[in-house]
Amino acid sequence: MVDSPHASEPRVSETADVIVVGAGPAGSAAAYHLARHGRDVLLLEKSEFPREKVCGDGLTPRAVHHLIRMGVDTEGPGWHRTRGVRYCSHGVRVEIDFQENARYPGYGLSRSRHDFDEILARRAAEAGARLRTGTHVTEPVLDRAGRVRGVAAKAGDEMVRFEAPLLIAADGGSARLALALGVERLPRRPVATAIRRYHRSAGGHDDPYFTIWGDIDARPGGPPLPGYGWIFPMGDGRVNVGLGLIHGAPAGRADTRRVLDQWLPHTPPEWGLAGPDSADGPVRGAALPMGFNRLPHYTRGLLLAGDSGGMVNPWSGEGIAYAMEAGELAAEVAVTALARPGGASRERALQRYPREIHRRLGRYYQLGNLWAALLSRPSFTSLLSRRIVTSPAAMRHLTRLIANTTDDGRELSDRLINALVRAVPARVPRQR
């Protein structure tokens, strides 16, 4: 929508320094850190809380780090602590504990997304953000130069406008705002699909490990599928059971619900997942926008954070940690930019956002995109499931790479992984 003086335009409801669209992890983190810096921030969410979200519900040490930065209390009811990852493949189990370092804690967490997002949104509100739920943003409002100056939204039965000089799009994989400004998905980046279902499990709900299954196949004796299965303990009598599969190979087009049902009888009998009555709710699925599959991450006053910018980790399918990290960075850049007068000076400050996201994650995601492409090859998935996943030595290193929790300290593993990532040629993202 281009700004005009016509009387038919929706009325201006509220103004702010920054509008954040979407109260998921990216949006709530951005709103929290903006409010903590004293900025007037409006956080708009189309749903009412609590709400469902397709997710594995597992939080790595990297995600825990960002929860700590938001002051979230993770010691109370509803949080389940895990010490590491258990890998299962071809009858072999390998347990790898998370390693603490100066930056990241040595544990992960589980929490249902049913109320996880609300916890983060309420933290943003407590910090001073104005949270508006039930507000469905329909399009950006642009000035005559084509820069964003707000959004149009439907609140109840009324069409309204919200105005701000900066807009952070954290509106998920639909990326409605990015598309409205011509920021398209890059077709050659990896695409994955995840499905999950909750199961009651007296024997597995309080397990101290996230469990990853590496030898999921579409048919008995067939090649492993390009992805993995998971069983994440929830600590409340349930486990989150799911599959994450990469598209691009014939095996990747399997009937995922059928594969899920075929796999469950091979899980530990004491967990009770194969019985007909263990399921606790329906199977739900969602696409995973991975590997920076939407660029650029900044254009004309709009910053993309989380799934809207394709920020899911292509190594693991993890999105929460990177959404929160991008949200905090977007807030930091916005605060700096708003301290400058509008025009070229402010624009220079805003251009730091895509450069810094790329500096932090660009090489790592490029390497991860290659990893995802290799998973689409049956010969590689067979080698991975039979030789690598079953090796404790290999998985100690690979877990740190996949979880992206290396430090610059004295650990040889960290130094090797960091050197590998730095060796990837840098590709500067396109600017607009």
Side-chain angles (χ1 to χ4, degrees):
M1 175 190 292
V2 178
D3 190 41
S4 73
H6 295 167
S8 59
E9 295 289 345
R11 68 177 179 83
V12 176
S13 175
E14 296 180 69
T15 62
D17 293 334
V18 183
I19 294 172
V20 180
V21 179
S28 292
Y32 171 83
H33 290 288
L34 282 163
R36 290 274 292 175
H37 281 89
R39 283 297 174 178
D40 181 18
V41 54
L42 192 57
L43 178 58
L44 306 179
E45 167 57 41
K46 66 181 179 181
S47 302
E48 299 289 351
F49 291 116
R51 57 172 167 76
E52 280 291 335
K53 175 73 174 179
V54 177
C55 184
D57 298 332
L59 301 163
T60 64
R62 193 179 184 99
V64 175
H65 166 78
H66 288 289
L67 291 174
I68 293 169
R69 290 186 62 79
M70 284 186 65
V72 175
D73 178 10
T74 61
E75 299 295 330
W79 299 96
H80 177 70
R81 183 175 292 206
T82 53
R83 60 185 294 180
V85 183
R86 176 189 299 112
Y87 299 94
C88 301
S89 187
H90 296 283
V92 178
R93 299 185 185 186
V94 175
E95 294 178 350
I96 305 296
D97 287 359
F98 293 126
Q99 287 186 277
E100 180 182 287
N101 58 35
R103 183 175 178 82
Y104 300 111
Y107 63 92
L109 294 167
S110 297
R111 180 89 193 199
S112 171
R113 288 295 292 274
H114 183 69
D115 65 354
F116 175 82
D117 288 4
E118 182 176 11
I119 291 171
L120 299 191
R122 298 302 176 198
R123 280 297 296 156
E126 290 166 5
R130 289 180 282 146
L131 174 63
R132 302 288 182 263
T133 58
T135 305
H136 183 204
V137 171
T138 58
E139 59 183 333
V141 175
L142 309 180
D143 64 18
R144 296 187 182 277
R147 292 183 61 85
V148 298
R149 60 165 299 167
V151 295
K154 185 175 183 181
D157 295 327
E158 184 181 14
M159 293 300 299
V160 296
R161 281 175 59 179
F162 301 95
E163 292 193 347
L166 291 179
L167 180 59
I168 296 176
D171 50 347
S174 65
R176 182 189 298 268
L177 296 172
L179 288 171
L181 269 68
V183 184
E184 302 283 345
R185 185 176 69 82
L186 303 179
R188 301 188 66 180
R189 299 295 167 94
V191 177
T193 299
I195 66 169
R196 68 101 172 103
R197 181 170 60 203
Y198 292 108
H199 285 254
R200 292 180 294 277
S201 176
H205 79 100
D206 59 353
D207 194 276
Y209 288 95
F210 295 131
T211 298
I212 298 294
W213 230 272
D215 59 344
I216 305 293
D217 52 39
R219 64 184 187 278
L225 288 171
Y228 62 87
W230 74 75
I231 303 173
F232 292 170
M234 301 302 298
D236 61 359
R238 302 178 301 161
V239 292
N240 182 315
V241 181
L243 297 173
L245 301 178
I246 297 171
H247 300 275
R253 295 194 291 268
D255 180 345
T256 50
R257 295 190 182 209
R258 179 176 57 82
V259 172
L260 180 66
D261 290 335
Q262 290 176 342
W263 163 47
L264 289 177
H266 300 285
T267 59
E270 63 270 20
W271 289 358
L273 303 181
D277 299 325
S278 70
D280 187 21
V283 174
R284 299 185 185 274
L288 301 179
M290 302 193 304
F292 287 169
N293 73 351
R294 195 177 300 277
L295 292 173
H297 289 133
Y298 168 74
T299 183
R300 291 181 281 162
L302 176 72
L303 299 89
L304 307 184
D307 286 5
S308 68
M311 294 182 180
V312 173
N313 183 350
W315 286 96
S316 63
E318 178 188 9
I320 291 175
Y322 303 94
M324 295 180 71
E325 183 168 344
E328 181 175 358
L329 177 61
E332 176 189 324
V333 169
V335 168
T336 301
L338 289 170
R340 301 182 180 190
S345 176
R346 179 175 294 178
E347 186 66 17
R348 280 192 294 272
L350 291 167
Q351 289 291 346
R352 175 175 168 255
Y353 177 69
R355 291 197 303 269
E356 179 64 14
I357 280 283
H358 180 77
R359 186 191 69 79
R360 294 184 186 186
L361 297 171
R363 287 181 169 89
Y364 175 75
Y365 274 24
Q366 283 179 232
L367 199 59
N369 288 339
L370 174 60
W371 168 264
L374 288 173
L375 286 177
S376 296
R377 300 183 178 183
S379 58
F380 180 77
T381 54
S382 294
L383 172 66
L384 179 68
S385 66
R386 292 182 180 276
R387 301 296 183 187
I388 299 176
V389 174
T390 57
S391 166
M395 293 315 296
R396 275 194 294 272
H397 299 298
L398 191 57
T399 297
R400 291 178 75 77
L401 177 59
I402 291 174
N404 198 14
T405 54
T406 60
D407 196 10
D408 293 327
R410 298 180 179 179
E411 287 282 343
L412 176 61
S413 177
D414 286 5
R415 296 203 303 272
L416 292 175
I417 292 170
N418 292 339
L420 174 65
V421 172
R422 284 194 298 267
V424 176
R427 297 177 185 175
V428 179
R430 295 176 292 143
Q431 304 291 324
R432 288 187 186 179

